[in-house]
Structure formats: structure tokens, C-alpha cells
Amino acid sequence: MSLANKNEFQNPMSETQRIRSEQEMTFGFAKVDPTIIMLAGKTTDFNSMKTGVFEPPSASTRCVRLSRSVAEAKGPLNPWSKQFVDMQMDEMDIEIESKDTKFLPKMSVSVQGHEFKHQEMVGEGNFAKVYRYESATGGDVAVKVQKESEPWEYAILTEVQELLNGTCAEESVLKLISFTKYPNCGVMVTPYYVNGTLLSLCAQAKPLLATRAVSMKPFILFFAAQLTALLVELHGKDIIHGDFKPDNIMLLPIDNFDSAFGDKGKIQGVCMIDWGRSINCRVYSGAFKGKCYTSGFMCGEMVKNEPWRFQVDLYALAMSLHIIMFGDYAKVNHSAVSTDTTLSSLTIPRHFERRVWPEIFNSLMNYQSLENPVNMLREKRDYFAQEYNALTKREKENFQDHYKRHLDL
Ligand SMILES: Nc1ncnc2c1ncn2[C@@H]1O[C@H](COP(=O)(O)OP(=O)(O)OP(=O)(O)O)[C@@H](O)[C@H]1O
Ligand SMILES: [Mg+2]
């Protein structure tokens, strides 16, 4: 889902997005409550509060069954079509709680005996509004009210969590508390992440990023490594996120600033939200068609109506890297004469390897294959991590001070 005007995809940032970024810059971010961070970081507390009853076959059994059903599909398939989504939902055996009374945003939400009360709206997209709700006994939850009552985000996220269980990305994926289907909407409850989005942080750091300040080098390398590592894990499991961008990344406290990744290569500081456009490639190995209307994040194949697969995320990673490097959206040429998509102006800051970075952008924006790109992503992840690890102790401490101050820790 996107705030973008659907006709505006050549404009790198829609008016609504611009306004929101400016608001984020002006008003700053939610303050950190240490108890909430603990809640947000743990699955177990919330697992016990799930209202959905799961009796699913294992992910691999589901895949075999479903790939049989879609094996017949001819030509590029729209992964967001109701037919394709419904087909998968039928195979997933996820039991959803449903109510026959309408849900109103100011209503309280009850999750296994805990009552949460509406506080404020924290985000709004084309198809959903997100609210912060608070319990009388302390602790917040995020309540995402989706205009369509279809539980696809909940279903695919359940699948993703199962697939990433025990990997270094386990804690970097939105946790689920419950999903309830109402006649007028779907209501998904998740932990509330108090530290704001990566986009907010980039917006705040924009004056430094725009002037190519050398002090931002650790920040850029650190988040480049985390975002790429997230895609390595997702694509490694044949999952496409489909709406990969800094406003869909919530910030988390970072345990270890000495090296890019934590214990056993754990991804740090980020949690991916907004899974409503995610695609399970395990069930269909052919090409996809269809567009996602996220302004400035639409890959060349979508713009030119060509088949695509992982390009949607690779392109979005390139755009995200541009935002964390320059604090702004990229100006892109979708060339009409060649297949290449290029950046119209790209002056890599001089404290980065100027031979390497244009090639990073170029290869992410112009991936020509329908094969899984995970090996290419691994190389980039390792490059970013090595560059971060090679920074001086002082540079890392400086980043640590600023990040902790931003999170108000
Ligand atoms: N669990 C959460 N904790 C705190 N804030 C959240 C949470 N989930 C969402 N938000 C805020 O709400 C915004 C919108 O959420 P989300 O991306 O899930 O909805 P959306 O309607 O799909 O939005 P968009 O169309 O802008 O992508 C996020 O960018 C974030 O600022
Ligand atoms: Mg979003």
C-alpha cells in the first residue's frame, strides 16, 4: 500500500509523501519506553495472546499442494490478484476470528482478556490506518485497520515467521498478536514499535546526508548492511516483500555497534512491517506481472509492463540505499531506448569507494533475470558489513551516541 498518487509514479515523491516526510521531520518521533522495547522485541509474550487458531500443515506441504494448483497457470501471473491470493488462503488452513458487528476505530480492542484503548492515529496509507492503543496495565499495541477485510498480510506474515524462525532475521520481522475480520474491515493487532521508522531517521538526518557529511558514513553502511541482509534472508526463502522502503522499517535498539551484525550474524536495529503486498514465490516459479503504485519504488519492468520477479525488491533496495545515503528519493531515468534504468545524477560521497557504489546501484536497478538473486545480495551484504566493521572505534562510538540519542535511550 502506498500514500502515492497512482498516476504519479514518475514523480519520485508524491505530495502526500512529501508532506508526511516533512511532518516527520518537524514533529520528531515517539519517545522510547524501555518496557515497550522489551515487548516489541519478544515473540513469546504476544504468541500467547494470539486469537487466530493455527492448525496449518507445514510450510513445505502447503507449497507442494499449492504449486500443483498453480502449475497450470500460463503466462505472467498477477501475484496480487484476488484469485491468486484466495487460492493460497484456501490452502493455508488459517482460522480467522470473525465478528458480525462493525469495527469503529475508537472502539477498544480486547486481546485474550487484555483491554486496549484507542490513543492516536500513527500512520495512514491507501488501504489502511494504523492506531496506537494503550492498555490500562501499561504497554501499547499497534492496531492496523484495513479497508479490505482480507487477512492476506496476516496469513503471509504467519508463513514468513515460520520460514524465518531460527534465522538471523527472526527478530526483524513484525510480530503478530491477532487478526479479526469485521464486516467493514480487517483489524490486525501487533506490538507497537516506539522508535519510529527509518524514513523518519533519514528525514531528521537529511541536512547531514545532503551535505555528504563524513560523520554519516557509519550510519549509511550499517543500515545498508541490515537492509541487504534482510533481503538475503527473505529471498533465500523465496519470499518477496513487495513494498520494501524505509517507511516500512521500524527502528529497534542496536545491541552491538562494534560489528554490523550481532551474535550469529543477527540483523540489528530494524523490523520490517507492512507485508500486505508480499509474495510467496515458493508456490509459483514463473514470471509475475502487475504494478505496485509506490511512488519512486516501481522497478523498470513494472514501468515498461515487462515480466518481473525479484526485481521489485532489488529496485526498492536501491531506492532505499539512495534515501539512507542522500536523505532523499532518487531521480530515475527509465530509458525508452535501452533496457537500462539509470540514476540521472549520482555523486557518491568521496569517503565511499566511488568505483564500487555506482555498480551497486546499477546492478540492483537492472537485474535482468527471473532467477533468485540471493548470491548477488550476499556479496553486497558482505561488502557493506566489511566496510562498516573496518571503521574506527571512534566512528562507531560516534554513531552509537547519535543513534541512542535519537532513540532517547
Ligand atoms: N507496529 C507499529 N508500531 C508503530 N508504528 C507503526 C506500526 N505499524 C505501522 N506503523 C506506522 O504506520 C505507518 C503505516 O503502516 P503500514 O505501512 O503498515 O500501513 P500502510 O497502510 O500499508 O501504509 P503505506 O501505504 O504508507 O505503506 C508506518 O509507516 C508506521 O509509521
Ligand atoms: Mg507502509
Side-chain angles (χ1 to χ4, degrees):
M1 264 174 269
S2 152
L3 288 170
N5 177 337
K6 296 191 178 191
N7 297 319
E8 245 187 351
F9 55 80
Q10 291 185 329
N11 180 346
M13 200 200 266
S14 76
E15 195 50 30
T16 331
Q17 276 177 315
R18 214 183 295 279
I19 290 166
R20 194 165 90 184
S21 302
E22 279 164 12
Q23 280 173 346
E24 278 165 340
M25 232 183 304
T26 320
F27 300 121
F29 330 95
K31 291 278 176 261
V32 172
D33 172 345
T35 44
I36 311 306
I37 293 171
M38 289 193 43
L39 289 173
K42 279 190 180 162
T43 336
T44 39
D45 299 338
F46 287 104
N47 272 346
S48 61
M49 294 162 73
K50 275 185 181 175
T51 55
V53 180
F54 298 103
E55 295 165 350
S58 74
S60 54
T61 318
R62 283 199 291 272
C63 277
V64 173
R65 274 205 235 152
L66 190 55
S67 37
R68 275 194 217 119
S69 335
V70 291
E72 318 278 288
K74 292 233 164 53
L77 188 145
N78 184 337
W80 304 302
S81 68
K82 187 161 168 25
Q83 196 191 7
F84 184 55
V85 169
D86 284 352
M87 201 189 266
Q88 294 177 80
M89 291 296 304
D90 285 350
E91 295 289 348
M92 286 170 113
D93 294 339
I94 289 182
E95 206 173 294
I96 300 287
E97 187 189 354
S98 84
K99 298 253 166 74
D100 47 17
T101 49
K102 283 191 170 176
F103 180 83
L104 302 170
K106 298 257 157 119
M107 272 164 59
S108 61
V109 168
S110 168
V111 183
Q112 296 208 342
H114 298 255
E115 189 88 344
F116 290 87
K117 287 209 160 45
H118 172 277
Q119 299 299 317
E120 59 182 330
M121 188 167 82
V122 293
E124 180 174 12
N126 281 338
F127 305 103
K129 288 184 177 157
V130 181
Y131 303 91
R132 182 173 69 83
Y133 272 57
E134 198 176 277
S135 112
T137 53
D140 291 352
V141 288
V143 174
K144 184 170 181 176
V145 181
Q146 300 164 324
K147 285 183 198 159
E148 307 269 332
S149 62
E150 296 314 319
W152 177 245
E153 181 171 8
Y154 182 67
I156 185 73
L157 196 42
T158 306
E159 181 95 0
V160 169
Q161 284 175 350
E162 190 180 316
L163 291 168
L164 294 184
N165 200 8
T167 72
C168 62
E170 187 176 30
E171 285 168 35
S172 301
V173 166
L174 179 63
K175 308 280 180 265
L176 284 167
I177 301 176
S178 70
F179 180 89
T180 311
K181 195 174 159 119
Y182 288 84
N184 59 329
C185 60
V187 175
M188 189 170 87
V189 183
T190 68
Y192 183 74
Y193 296 89
V194 291
N195 304 306
T197 66
L198 180 57
L199 182 70
S200 309
L201 179 55
C202 292
Q204 199 193 47
K206 192 171 168 178
L208 288 171
L209 293 170
T211 51
R212 320 280 200 263
V214 66
S215 59
M216 294 311 289
K217 189 176 177 185
F219 160 86
I220 295 166
L221 290 171
F222 180 86
F223 283 104
Q226 310 309 321
L227 299 195
T228 315
L230 250 177
L231 279 195
V232 166
E233 297 310 311
L234 283 178
H235 290 186
K237 301 287 183 195
D238 265 332
I239 298 288
I240 291 174
H241 181 272
D243 202 3
F244 196 86
K245 54 180 183 173
D247 29 348
N248 285 336
I249 309 260
M250 305 306 302
L251 298 174
L252 294 178
I254 297 167
D255 293 336
N256 177 13
F257 284 85
D258 280 344
S259 78
F261 302 118
D263 238 15
K264 299 181 186 144
K266 195 181 132 218
I267 295 172
Q268 312 190 81
V270 292
C271 177
M272 189 88 229
I273 61 165
D274 204 355
W275 294 81
R277 296 190 72 85
S278 300
I279 305 165
N280 186 353
C281 292
R282 298 153 77 90
V283 303
Y284 173 69
S285 58
F288 293 115
K289 65 175 181 191
K291 293 183 178 180
C292 60
Y293 292 97
T294 297
S295 176
F297 283 75
M298 195 164 19
C299 61
E301 287 73 13
M302 281 187 191
V303 173
K304 294 171 196 164
N305 248 326
E306 287 164 8
W308 51 266
R309 237 168 119 74
F310 292 91
Q311 283 86 347
V312 57
D313 279 352
L314 297 181
Y315 186 87
L317 174 62
M319 295 300 108
S320 304
L321 292 180
H322 193 280
I323 292 173
I324 63 178
M325 183 169 253
F326 301 105
D328 213 342
Y329 288 76
K331 293 186 181 63
V332 175
N333 291 330
H334 287 294
S335 168
V337 283
S338 84
T339 50
D340 273 10
T341 300
T342 54
L343 294 173
S344 32
S345 59
L346 182 68
T347 312
I348 302 293
R350 65 192 149 72
H351 40 272
F352 287 96
E353 288 193 291
R354 281 182 156 163
R355 274 178 312 107
V356 178
W357 280 80
E359 169 51 24
I360 291 175
F361 281 105
N362 188 38
S363 55
L364 291 172
M365 292 169 70
N366 293 292
Y367 186 70
Q368 303 283 345
S369 160
L370 295 179
E371 296 297 311
N372 194 313
V374 71
N375 288 335
M376 185 230 329
L377 285 171
R378 274 197 197 105
E379 279 172 23
K380 297 195 189 326
R381 174 200 63 190
D382 295 345
Y383 173 73
F384 297 139
Q386 277 157 20
E387 289 287 292
Y388 179 86
N389 294 344
L391 294 170
T392 64
K393 195 161 183 282
R394 193 152 168 209
E395 284 174 303
K396 291 174 192 166
E397 280 171 359
N398 189 30
F399 169 47
Q400 175 167 5
D401 283 352
H402 279 89
Y403 191 74
K404 289 198 162 171
R405 223 176 304 141
H406 175 73
L407 264 51
D408 207 9
L409 290 174

